[in-house]
Amino acid sequence: MNRIEVQAMLHYSNEIRKICFGSRECMNNGCDTCGYFAMCQANELLYGLIEHEADKYDVKGELKDDNN
């Protein structure tokens, strides 16, 4: 995968976050009673993993050298 593809996945995961947090269920209920809690938590984990992968690229879009 290249940097652009990873950034695209990060963008779409962020869009899911916006939809979840903007939903009526999210605004009215606590997380412990929300029917979408598992889906929301799974997306949060996915977002963190994608963000970690995105951090492996430098400004030029190339993988950083991990040997330094």
Side-chain angles (χ1 to χ4, degrees):
M1 238 182 267
N2 63 34
R3 178 177 156 262
I4 294 171
E5 292 169 330
V6 173
Q7 289 293 330
M9 289 189 316
L10 194 61
H11 169 75
Y12 289 120
S13 183
N14 193 42
E15 290 298 310
I16 293 170
R17 290 170 95 191
K18 289 178 189 178
I19 292 168
C20 286
F21 294 144
S23 70
R24 185 179 313 153
E25 292 84 0
C26 188
M27 287 188 251
N28 294 333
N29 298 326
C31 287
D32 55 340
T33 60
C34 182
Y36 300 108
F37 178 73
M39 194 170 22
C40 185
Q41 286 299 105
N43 187 62
E44 287 300 309
L45 290 171
L46 178 62
Y47 184 86
L49 290 170
I50 296 169
E51 192 172 44
H52 176 73
E53 289 299 312
D55 289 343
K56 291 182 179 180
Y57 291 89
D58 64 13
V59 176
K60 295 179 188 175
E62 298 171 356
L63 283 174
K64 295 178 187 175
D65 186 9
D66 292 335
N67 296 328
N68 292 335

